[in-house]
Amino acid sequence: PGRRHHHKTPLPGARGRALVPAARPQLRIHSAPAPARGEGPRNRPGTDQMGGGSGGRGKGMPRAMAPVEEVDVAAVRYKPAELQAPHLTGFPLRAFVWLLESPLLGPLVTSILKKQNNMTQMLQHTVIPERPMFYPEYPPQEPERGVVTLGDDRDPVDRVEEALSCLAPYDPSGRFTSADEKNPFLYWKIRDFAYAYRSGITTPSAVAELVIAGVEEWNNKKPPMPMLIFFKADDLRKQADASTKRFEKGSPISVLDGIFFAVKDDIDCLPYPSKSATTFFDEIRPVEKDAVAVSRLRKCGVIFIGKANMHELGLGVTGNNPNYGTVRNPHSVDRYTGGSSSGPAALVSSGLCSGAIGTDGGGSVRIPSSLCGIVGLKTTFGRTDMTGVVCDAGTVEVASPLTSSVEDSVLLYSALAGSRPMDKLTLRPSLLCVPNLVSSENSKILQSVKVGKYTEWFHDVPDNEVSNTCEDALNLLCSTFGCQIEEIILPELEEMRTAHLVSIGSEAFSDMNAHYQAGRRTEMTLDTRASLALFKSFTSADYVAAQCLRRRIMYYHMEAFKKVDVIATPTTGMTAPKIPPSALKGESDYVVSAKLMQFIFAGNLLGLPA
């Protein structure tokens, strides 16, 4: 914190630091950038969110964007987010999918949708002068103040132990009064469980029986709560028994030994298949070993309760899934959890486990965490090893932790993190570190932090309760710790949304194309088929144009980070949407999805932690 730079920053970007989640509706905070050298920009007045206007084009001439360095950011006017798309369920949705997939009518329908939302103009009729940025590019970062370096290649057990030493000393008095007291385990933190195991208050085997009973209770509710796609009580008991014996011998592996975690169904975890919440994906992609993220946690003694439900193939942010049932929000069962990591968020929010591993390519960890009132940390692109994750070939996706507290996020992140060799070569990640919360030198470190706020964007939400609650949280952060709020402007937000959609959509369709063409699309849910039909319409030229926009958006954020250390927004543009009864067999509502995703794009398109 506290490193702001008032020189021109080249387009490669930022590297991450510790973040502060806030109360639901949650505040989202992006990290500050790394420094770089250069000269100040030449200003050209901007006329709208497209930063530079048309440049005096004549009839029949394409629109030309001004070079990003010449855009006068101060002159840019905010343009409210708008999206036009139908809300469909039942027969209308089935008919709409038939039209989209029709060889004759499909291209016409997708063309109309893209033109209505300015995508065709933006991608095909605009000259973008920047060269493409095909994945987030970052310059080296200065050593961070107030942190402890964990080491990318160290054993995860050692990293967790190092991170544990950075937390304030554990005080059991607020949780336990005597060894005989029967405390509920709902919302116990990791260190609560660790203390209870070591003190003989309970055992992993005893907790396992409570988890099994809890899963059965939720499944038998009316309406049912299908948080897990794969769950084996005997496997859970076997893992818990092994952990219990380690405690009986006085040799637990780490503070994570005996802690219960869930794994999203697009991350490999033996002995379960990975279906990505489809009905067939395990047939074309067998699981042979744990994903790297799972194996790191297993080394620490973690107990995995099963594979968590999700939006099919991760192609949605509500959590709707007709294949296995839609996960409902534990706080209000008539509402969505958010997605696509719907099952992981619901399991943590309901208290059945302390944490979970999800994936986030378009808010899929942060959105359900926000709607369910827990902590979701989207890690820097490339910071976690994606080997063994179904969607491991894109440029926006990461595996990330969901927990019930910031403290638990520190511990889980310290075990999960560590780039794979190819990412170390191409991304040059900064040193893996966590904040040292016990250092006396850090007691007032937040007083130097400047928080960026784009007020017009911050308050562009349909319900003032969202922006006002987040405003209160931000003010509380500043009044308590001495942070300062600085007004910033982020141009071309509509372009950022489009660039993200084309990037994640093209990469997702590329992953599924062979199976889609082979006829497996008929086995997918209707909203997945609608999304893939849209993604199929993106051309290679559209994809490259999106990457040129990525470079522009990176530049604007780097310019903002010269003034501030973090950028704060609400996590979502709305609270948890209600589940229409007709939606349980499938739903397509891009307008609701856009509101849920309104503030998440920079984290994925630019790879920033959030």
Side-chain angles (χ1 to χ4, degrees):
R3 302 198 307 274
R4 288 166 295 283
H5 314 286
H6 301 279
H7 44 262
K8 178 178 172 182
T9 305
L11 294 181
R15 195 43 86 176
R17 55 180 57 98
L19 311 176
V20 185
R24 182 167 56 97
Q26 286 183 339
L27 193 70
R28 183 207 67 180
I29 300 184
H30 278 144
S31 82
R37 299 181 179 273
E39 58 185 28
R42 303 183 303 277
N43 289 336
R44 176 180 295 185
T47 59
D48 54 26
Q49 282 283 13
M50 283 287 278
S54 63
R57 73 181 185 275
K59 183 178 180 181
M61 293 291 290
R63 185 173 187 271
M65 301 178 81
V68 67
E69 298 92 343
E70 298 180 10
V71 174
D72 182 3
V73 173
V76 171
R77 293 195 297 269
Y78 179 76
K79 190 166 68 175
E82 295 181 3
L83 184 73
Q84 299 183 51
H87 175 208
L88 301 170
T89 61
F91 177 77
L93 175 57
R94 189 173 295 278
F96 181 64
V97 171
W98 180 87
L99 284 173
L100 287 174
E101 295 179 342
S102 167
L104 294 178
L105 299 176
L108 175 62
V109 175
T110 55
S111 176
I112 292 172
L113 284 173
K114 289 188 288 187
K115 285 180 180 178
Q116 284 180 334
N117 292 285
N118 200 33
M119 294 177 66
T120 304
Q121 165 76 2
M122 196 183 303
L123 297 170
Q124 299 180 7
H125 302 299
T126 300
V127 177
I128 308 171
E130 284 69 39
R131 61 188 177 86
M133 177 186 287
F134 289 105
Y135 59 85
E137 300 173 7
Y138 303 109
Q141 179 173 325
E142 289 180 347
E144 189 133 27
R145 291 193 300 137
V147 301
V148 171
T149 301
L150 299 181
D152 230 42
D153 299 320
R154 291 175 65 191
D155 188 278
V157 174
D158 296 334
R159 292 206 304 255
V160 170
E161 191 67 28
E162 188 86 44
L164 185 63
S165 69
C166 296
L167 300 178
Y170 178 73
D171 180 9
S173 62
R175 176 69 68 183
F176 308 99
T177 56
S178 73
D180 296 325
E181 184 174 352
K182 303 245 182 235
N183 285 296
F185 72 94
L186 191 68
Y187 296 121
W188 280 16
K189 296 180 182 179
I190 289 171
R191 289 199 289 177
D192 294 329
F193 280 107
Y195 176 84
Y197 294 156
R198 285 162 174 77
S199 304
I201 295 173
T202 189
T203 66
S205 291
V207 175
E209 295 304 322
L210 293 174
V211 172
I212 292 168
V215 170
E216 292 175 350
E217 179 183 342
W218 278 107
N219 286 341
N220 292 327
K221 282 183 178 291
K222 300 295 181 183
M225 186 75 160
M227 293 183 282
L228 290 163
I229 291 178
F230 296 107
F231 172 73
K232 295 180 180 179
D234 289 343
D235 180 70
L236 189 63
R237 290 188 176 106
K238 180 180 177 182
Q239 295 180 71
D241 180 63
S243 179
T244 298
K245 288 178 179 177
R246 290 193 291 270
F247 280 100
E248 290 173 347
K249 294 177 181 178
S251 57
I253 299 173
S254 75
V255 71
L256 297 181
D257 201 341
I259 308 300
F260 291 76
F261 284 85
V263 180
K264 189 178 179 183
D265 192 37
D266 61 352
I267 303 173
D268 294 344
C269 178
L270 291 173
Y272 305 105
S274 292
K275 290 193 173 186
S276 287
T278 68
T279 58
F280 67 90
F281 209 73
D282 58 321
E283 299 171 12
I284 58 180
R285 184 186 175 278
V287 173
E288 298 177 351
K289 60 181 180 180
D290 287 339
V292 169
V294 171
S295 68
R296 287 173 176 168
L297 290 180
R298 207 184 287 276
K299 283 183 180 179
C300 297
V302 160
I303 296 172
F304 295 105
I305 69 173
K307 301 297 291 294
N309 205 343
M310 58 181 285
H311 208 113
E312 187 183 54
L313 293 173
L315 298 182
V317 293
T318 61
N320 184 289
N321 190 319
N323 293 331
Y324 300 98
T326 294
V327 183
R328 295 171 178 271
N329 198 310
H331 295 284
S332 181
V333 294
D334 62 337
R335 295 179 182 271
Y336 281 118
T337 57
S340 61
S341 302
S342 51
L347 285 158
V348 175
S349 180
S350 66
L352 285 173
C353 58
S354 297
I357 317 174
T359 52
D360 190 316
S364 290
V365 161
R366 292 160 288 158
I367 291 170
S369 294
S370 178
L371 300 190
C372 292
I374 63 171
V375 179
L377 172 63
K378 185 262 165 197
T379 57
T380 306
F381 179 74
R383 174 59 82 192
T384 50
D385 193 321
M386 293 289 284
T387 304
V389 180
V390 172
C391 46
D392 69 343
T395 65
V396 296
E397 193 96 18
V398 295
S400 294
L402 301 88
T403 62
S404 61
S405 69
V406 176
E407 173 185 303
D408 288 354
S409 284
V410 172
L411 296 174
L412 185 51
Y413 172 75
S414 66
L416 281 177
S419 305
R420 53 184 167 188
M422 62 180 288
D423 289 335
K424 290 179 182 179
L425 290 173
T426 57
L427 300 176
R428 305 187 307 278
S430 58
L431 295 175
L432 175 61
C433 58
V434 293
N436 188 353
L437 302 181
V438 296
S439 170
S440 59
E441 297 178 1
N442 283 350
S443 60
K444 296 182 179 180
I445 197 169
L446 288 178
Q447 292 180 2
S448 66
V449 171
K450 290 195 173 183
V451 180
K453 179 188 174 192
Y454 189 3
T455 298
E456 288 182 283
W457 188 32
F458 194 102
H459 288 279
D460 183 20
V461 291
D463 186 348
N464 289 337
E465 183 183 7
V466 172
S467 55
N468 290 341
T469 301
C470 291
E471 182 98 51
D472 292 343
L474 189 56
N475 290 335
L476 181 62
L477 179 71
C478 294
S479 63
T480 303
F481 298 106
C483 307
Q484 301 175 52
I485 299 176
E486 294 280 341
E487 185 65 25
I488 60 171
I489 295 175
L490 295 171
E492 300 179 14
L493 296 176
E494 184 181 1
E495 286 69 26
M496 178 165 65
R497 181 183 72 183
T498 297
H500 173 267
L501 175 63
V502 174
S503 298
I504 192 172
S506 300
E507 291 163 8
F509 187 79
S510 177
D511 281 345
M512 292 301 300
N513 188 26
H515 312 300
Y516 185 91
Q517 302 294 350
R520 301 307 290 253
R521 72 175 183 272
T522 59
E523 302 175 54
M524 302 176 192
T525 60
L526 292 172
D527 74 310
T528 298
R529 291 168 63 179
S531 295
L532 289 174
L534 174 63
F535 299 160
K536 181 184 178 183
S537 73
F538 297 145
T539 66
S540 56
D542 291 339
Y543 184 79
V544 174
Q547 308 321 301
C548 295
L549 291 174
R550 193 201 299 243
R551 188 171 295 277
R552 291 178 68 90
I553 304 304
M554 181 72 86
Y555 179 88
Y556 290 130
H557 279 71
M558 295 305 98
E559 291 295 295
F561 280 134
K562 293 175 185 177
K563 296 174 56 180
V564 301
D565 300 293
V566 297
I567 296 172
T569 72
T571 303
T572 62
M574 63 184 298
T575 54
K578 286 197 171 185
I579 305 173
S582 61
L584 295 178
K585 294 184 178 180
E587 178 187 31
S588 177
D589 193 341
Y590 289 118
V591 174
V592 163
S593 295
K595 290 176 183 176
L596 290 173
M597 299 176 71
Q598 180 174 340
F599 299 104
I600 62 87
F601 299 113
N604 298 108
L605 185 68
L606 307 183
L608 300 174

